[in-house]
Amino acid sequence: MTTITVCTTCRNEATRGSKDGSPTGEAFLETVQAAAKDAPVKLRGVACLMGCGHGCNTAISAEGKMTYVLGRFEGTEEDAQALVEYATLHAENEKGIVPFRQWPQGVKGHFVSRVPPLD
């Protein structure tokens, strides 16, 4: 099953320089959770994805499939919806590779890296 991992310690670009208040990632996890309520994906939060310059960071992964790391999200409902739409397409593809023409507009420009599955 495809899993969306959200970094809970991330801060978006607007809050990165400040340590005031809760990290943006905590709220983004809740926003993604609401968007994924009926989606065929799992969701989890982790303390750090080590991409601080790209926050808010997420990863989309599944056993035997390509893993994608995405970042530079502001943490909005639109960001969450696009992420869940992409993860759903990832879940539907045998190798986890979603053709560019199917990408939701909201994930374009947010890819940081992709990691091939282990053999």
Side-chain angles (χ1 to χ4, degrees):
M1 171 164 291
T2 292
T3 299
I4 301 172
T5 302
V6 177
C7 178
T8 57
T9 56
C10 270
R11 294 185 180 272
N12 63 15
E13 187 175 6
T15 64
R16 196 168 300 132
S18 169
K19 297 296 180 195
D20 296 336
S22 298
T24 315
E26 290 178 4
F28 192 38
L29 176 61
E30 291 178 16
T31 305
V32 174
Q33 211 162 23
K37 145 181 104 135
D38 296 321
V41 299
K42 292 184 349 183
L43 184 66
R44 67 181 180 161
V46 298
C48 186
L49 287 178
M50 296 182 72
C52 299
H54 297 288
C56 290
N57 289 290
T58 64
I60 296 175
S61 57
E63 187 173 338
K65 293 186 177 188
M66 193 70 73
T67 294
Y68 293 90
V69 178
L70 297 91
R72 298 180 295 278
F73 289 111
E74 291 301 313
T76 66
E77 289 181 21
E78 292 80 12
D79 289 341
Q81 189 60 45
L83 188 64
V84 170
E85 287 175 28
Y86 184 84
T88 299
L89 294 169
H90 179 275
E92 293 170 353
N93 184 282
E94 181 182 337
K95 295 181 180 181
I97 300 171
V98 180
F100 179 79
R101 68 183 175 279
Q102 293 180 4
W103 291 7
Q105 186 63 37
V107 298
K108 292 178 180 176
H110 291 273
F111 288 86
V112 175
S113 66
R114 71 180 192 163
V115 180
L118 296 173
D119 292 334

